[in-house]
Amino acid sequence: MLENNIAIAPNGVVISVRGSVVDIGFEKSLPPIYALLTAGEDGQIAIEVQSQLSANRVRGIALTPTEGLARGMQVKNTGGPLMAPVGKGVLSRMFNVFGQAIDTDAAVTDVMWRSVHQPPPPLGRRSAKSEVFETGIKVIDVLTPLERGGKAGLFGGAGVGKTVLLTEMIHNVVGKQKGVSIFCGIGERCREGEELYASMKEAGVLPNMAMIFGQMNEPPGSRFRVGYTALTMAEYFRDDEHRDVLLLVDNIFRFIQAGMEVSGMMGQMPSRLGYQPTMASDLAQLEERISNTDTGAITSIQAVYVPADDLTDPAAVHTFSHLSASIVLSRKRASEGLYPSIDPLQSNSKMATPGIVGERHYGIAQEIRRTFAQYEELKDIIAMLGLEQLSLDDRKVVVRARQLERFLTQPFFSTEQFSGIPGKMVSLEDALNGCERILQDEFMDYPEQSFYMIGSVDEVKKI
């Protein structure tokens, strides 16, 4: 049989190549959607079927570069979808989207292979228990507590500290985490992956950690699927080994961006701002698999790049809806040197209710937000008329807010080499105690600068 003057072989033949989009003809049965096809001398070019165009033609997206692929070349159907390695053998190793080790160590052993396309756990198996997940970072634990088995997002534009904050959470939590940690880098810089691998090895937490990377120089098909590979590994530890998993993703926006590129290459009509029309369902397919079940929990912390600092961007809006805690990073606070540059008024968590965190914690958090909100309103008056024109009560609010702003900064272990300040972890009790004492005006006579980059509030009196 001929199509476009090319004889179609039983196993398949390339009909056209347009960048990463490959049309393949089959004489008999067509491979199903998501089937993995291979081409090239050693089968080094991998293609995932995305749509069936006719009775003997499919269109796929290449997960590897397509150099050397030409019309008329033979294509082999592997008979299944993209597979990921699962099992104890993945721990302390670094992988690419195909589950191949990229850490130059020995071959991966003691693993099974599973399809990366798995259904989310049914509602009947999901756990409804709410428990707080401590990070040792004051501003997060007090104002936006994370949920064990929940999903937290770190939202911010370029250069406001998402990756640094994520790295610090890894440092603070992975050591205490009794389960398994999985780091997934989607479309990020290979330098960051290499640095993270070295720092985890140094900290001695690599034996309970696996890393999966789809770097920015890789084709969009590969970046679009790397999150699925990481999730498949995480699901094994949750469902088969009944362990808690900490899944760290940097960066979910790159997943959406890769989907947008794939959608554009497949010829789909773009939606608002050029995003793919299937963005909501693409994101839901990934996010719904991250959940708490009766056997274990996958707790996920995800960095989310916000294009042009616009939180109304469709990518940010769709991601917000899946999260139990949203931590918004502010460029203005970063420019003032207030690190971590978390915006206390835009960040929120569904865990911050009296029934979960307790009346005292909830009351302190609400009072902090109220103080910051009043300070925001007074900033215009201060700018025009000066601090002296405020009433005594308003001046007290300003002092409290400025002390709290500086107390909620924290020296990080991950930035010691740059700042020269030793990193500090602060327990939730110490953080709440410090905030409460500042709100009660105990430190009215202390300069606000003495609260900057300290751990517990007792350090103020030592300065």
Side-chain angles (χ1 to χ4, degrees):
M1 179 183 171
L2 289 172
E3 177 152 345
N4 291 359
N5 302 320
I6 294 173
I8 298 177
N11 55 345
V13 68
V14 175
I15 291 170
S16 69
V17 184
R18 294 184 304 284
S20 288
V21 180
V22 186
D23 284 7
I24 301 145
F26 285 85
E27 195 169 58
K28 293 181 181 168
S29 59
L30 286 184
I33 305 290
Y34 300 146
L36 192 67
L37 315 176
T38 57
E41 283 179 24
D42 305 316
Q44 77 274 24
I45 298 170
I47 302 159
E48 187 179 75
V49 176
Q50 293 289 324
S51 63
Q52 297 175 335
L53 301 177
S54 67
N56 50 19
R57 187 168 172 170
V58 297
R59 178 165 289 167
I61 286 284
L63 305 183
T64 52
T66 52
E67 281 99 348
L69 196 62
R71 294 177 73 216
M73 280 180 75
Q74 294 291 306
V75 176
K76 184 185 170 200
N77 181 0
T78 62
L82 180 65
M83 307 290 269
V86 297
K88 291 194 172 102
V90 303
L91 295 176
S92 80
R93 303 302 300 271
M94 195 190 274
F95 298 93
N96 63 11
V97 67
F98 301 104
Q100 298 161 344
I102 53 173
D103 51 11
T104 68
D105 278 343
V108 181
T109 54
D110 191 23
V111 292
M112 302 175 286
W113 292 81
R114 272 189 197 163
S115 164
V116 301
H117 302 280
Q118 301 286 347
L123 283 173
R125 278 195 55 217
R126 300 199 182 205
S127 166
K129 192 174 73 174
S130 292
E131 195 183 331
V132 172
F133 187 79
E134 266 192 57
T135 64
I137 299 169
K138 289 181 282 194
V139 63
I140 293 175
D141 290 344
V142 172
L143 294 175
T144 56
L146 307 189
E147 178 186 10
R148 186 173 295 281
K151 298 185 272 271
L154 309 177
F155 291 83
V160 293
K162 294 183 301 298
T163 301
V164 171
L165 188 54
L166 193 66
T167 310
E168 185 68 9
M169 284 193 187
I170 294 169
H171 179 280
N172 290 3
V173 172
V174 168
K176 293 192 301 180
Q177 167 87 359
K178 293 178 180 65
V180 174
S181 302
I182 291 181
F183 181 89
C184 176
I186 305 178
E188 286 298 299
R189 302 162 191 81
C190 57
R191 167 185 63 76
E192 292 171 352
E194 199 276 330
E195 285 171 3
L196 182 70
Y197 183 78
S199 61
M200 292 300 108
K201 199 166 189 175
E202 201 178 304
V205 294
L206 214 49
N208 278 323
M209 194 168 189
M211 297 182 185
I212 302 94
F213 287 97
Q215 295 157 23
M216 353 177 111
N217 62 330
E218 295 185 24
S222 167
R223 285 179 273 125
F224 193 48
R225 287 289 174 243
V226 72
Y228 287 70
T229 302
L231 255 173
T232 306
M233 291 183 188
E235 285 168 339
Y236 165 82
F237 289 109
R238 179 192 66 191
D239 300 336
D240 294 40
E241 299 222 344
H242 300 180
R243 292 169 77 176
D244 281 0
V245 183
L246 179 63
L247 175 67
L248 304 132
V249 184
D250 189 11
N251 179 316
I252 278 291
F253 175 78
R254 305 281 176 219
F255 166 77
I256 294 172
Q257 197 175 40
M260 178 165 69
E261 292 175 51
V262 167
S263 168
M265 290 190 297
M266 293 296 292
Q268 292 179 352
M269 185 72 77
S271 174
R272 196 169 140 229
L273 296 185
Y275 287 107
Q276 65 270 41
T278 54
M279 176 167 63
S281 55
D282 287 347
L283 189 60
Q285 268 184 324
L286 186 79
E287 296 281 7
E288 285 302 304
R289 287 170 63 181
I290 304 170
S291 68
N292 230 344
T293 68
D294 45 12
T295 56
I298 299 179
T299 303
S300 174
I301 302 171
Q302 310 167 4
V304 188
Y305 168 71
V306 180
D309 292 344
D310 178 16
L311 288 169
T312 63
D313 187 271
V317 170
H318 280 284
T319 310
F320 269 124
S321 60
H322 290 280
L323 305 173
S324 54
S326 304
I327 298 162
V328 178
L329 300 173
S330 152
R331 192 171 299 281
K332 186 168 174 293
R333 293 176 76 82
S335 66
E336 291 169 10
L338 299 171
Y339 289 104
S341 54
I342 293 169
D343 187 323
L345 297 176
Q346 284 193 297
S347 306
N348 60 67
S349 166
K350 71 169 194 171
M351 302 298 284
T353 61
I356 297 171
V357 296
E359 291 287 349
R360 176 175 174 250
H361 183 162
Y362 177 73
I364 292 170
Q366 289 300 93
E367 188 58 38
I368 293 169
R369 287 180 197 277
R370 201 174 298 118
T371 304
F372 282 140
Q374 285 174 288
Y375 178 44
E376 281 299 317
E377 287 171 12
L378 293 169
K379 274 183 179 174
D380 287 343
I381 300 170
I382 297 166
M384 287 187 290
L385 304 173
L387 195 62
E388 297 74 28
Q389 299 302 315
L390 296 179
S391 68
L392 189 61
D393 284 348
D394 283 349
R395 256 184 273 181
K396 280 187 174 176
V397 167
V398 172
V399 171
R400 265 182 235 134
R402 292 179 69 84
Q403 287 182 346
L404 280 168
E405 267 184 344
R406 280 145 189 80
F407 177 62
L408 291 175
T409 62
Q410 192 165 334
F412 281 177
F413 293 95
S414 52
T415 57
E416 272 180 21
Q417 65 203 54
F418 310 113
S419 66
I421 308 170
K424 283 177 183 153
M425 254 181 98
V426 183
S427 70
L428 175 60
E429 190 48 47
D430 281 351
L432 285 174
N433 185 33
C435 292
E436 191 172 40
R437 287 165 69 184
I438 290 169
L439 289 167
Q440 289 168 354
D441 297 340
E442 188 182 318
F443 301 96
M444 267 296 163
D445 300 329
Y446 287 79
E448 62 193 40
Q449 206 52 34
S450 58
F451 293 86
Y452 183 66
M453 287 293 168
I454 61 170
S456 72
V457 80
D458 293 323
E459 292 177 35
V460 172
K461 295 183 175 177
K462 294 174 189 168
I463 293 170

